[in-house]
Amino acid sequence: MMRISTSGTRRRWMLGTAVCGVLITGCSSGGGDGGDAKPKAKPAAEAKPLDEGALRPLLLTQADLGSGYVQVQEEPGGEKFDDISVQGCPALEKLSQSGEEDMFAAKAQASFTYDRDATLGEEVHSDRPSVLSSKLRELFGAYTSCPTYTMTSGTTPIEVKVSKSVTPELGDEQFAYTSTMELPSGAQVLKTMVVRKGNVAVMLVGAPALVDRHIKTAVGKLPAGS
């Protein structure tokens, strides 16, 4: 498997996290048409978002992952990836033109390499549960609505195929898709999986086997009351 830079992996996630405009049908409850309906109870207050400082201890560590993993240190500023564009998927085309990269109240992130060839990136996001739920549904609805599209990096077109993936029964909601990128050096497969638990959502992106192997551990680090 060809190695992909961790900042590039994060960029592919960020190309999805600002998606807007996908129609999501929310759950609602209403009284009947009768005149004897009881007054609606005041809804319980939603859990408030955690800040970045509270999210950092929730990230996976080398001790959690086991041997063979090396954490990649973030460089100040990082890569901007301004030369990446998307064609053939209207929702992602709109997203790639947007400068917005943070769609939740707070996040923390970590990146790892495994045996020098594979990568595993993690992001932990926090916001009110209703915000996390609706925006994650928008994001994954947009990505899985485009089975194929073209991503251009500089002058190099990269064909991308996307398919929904099976998710484990963890947390309150789960979302996953697998993307296959036809690079000049060969096909590269990445899996993106998110599990929401209350007001916190954990996302893993990287080699499918690594994502599947560590998602349960990542979710297990989330607060019981989140």
Side-chain angles (χ1 to χ4, degrees):
M1 179 176 293
M2 174 184 172
R3 180 179 176 182
I4 291 182
S5 70
T6 53
S7 49
T9 299
R10 292 197 307 274
R11 178 58 178 171
R12 272 181 283 279
W13 162 253
M14 296 316 300
L15 281 174
T17 54
V19 164
C20 298
V22 179
L23 180 62
I24 302 298
T25 303
C27 297
S28 62
S29 60
D33 294 332
D36 296 331
K38 296 180 180 179
K40 292 181 180 179
K42 185 178 180 179
E46 282 196 287
K48 294 181 180 180
L50 303 179
D51 61 23
E52 181 182 354
L55 295 180
R56 289 205 168 276
L58 309 181
L59 292 168
L60 292 169
T61 65
Q62 288 175 267
D64 296 319
L65 298 173
S67 61
Y69 291 86
V70 177
Q71 186 164 1
V72 179
Q73 298 301 318
E74 303 287 338
E75 294 185 6
E79 296 180 68
K80 298 300 183 182
F81 290 89
D82 294 330
D83 61 344
I84 289 182
S85 61
V86 173
Q87 302 86 38
C89 183
L92 296 183
E93 288 178 38
K94 180 179 179 181
L95 174 60
S96 68
Q97 297 168 1
S98 171
E100 179 185 0
E101 288 208 342
D102 294 317
M103 67 185 302
F104 300 116
K107 79 169 181 180
Q109 61 189 26
S111 301
F112 301 87
T113 59
Y114 177 66
D115 283 349
R116 299 184 180 182
D117 295 319
T119 61
L120 179 68
E122 180 186 25
E123 291 184 1
V124 179
H125 296 268
S126 185
D127 213 315
R128 290 182 291 113
S130 62
V131 173
L132 280 176
S133 178
S134 64
K135 289 186 176 180
L136 287 172
R137 287 175 180 271
E138 290 174 1
L139 163 63
F140 282 85
Y143 253 112
T144 56
S145 71
C146 299
T148 61
Y149 65 89
T150 301
M151 181 172 67
T152 301
S153 178
T155 59
T156 304
I158 300 171
E159 298 301 317
V160 183
K161 297 180 181 179
V162 179
S163 60
K164 292 182 180 180
S165 299
V166 175
T167 57
E169 292 296 325
L170 296 171
D172 300 316
E173 290 182 289
Q174 317 87 26
F175 308 89
Y177 67 86
T178 300
S179 54
T180 302
M181 293 168 288
E182 296 296 337
L183 302 171
S185 56
Q188 171 70 45
V189 181
L190 291 176
K191 188 170 189 176
T192 302
M193 185 178 295
V194 173
V195 174
R196 181 184 69 83
K197 186 178 178 183
N199 63 343
V200 180
V202 59
M203 180 275 295
L204 295 184
V205 57
L210 301 187
V211 172
D212 292 339
R213 184 184 306 167
H214 297 295
I215 187 64
K216 187 174 181 179
T217 301
V219 175
K221 298 192 70 168
L222 303 185
S226 64

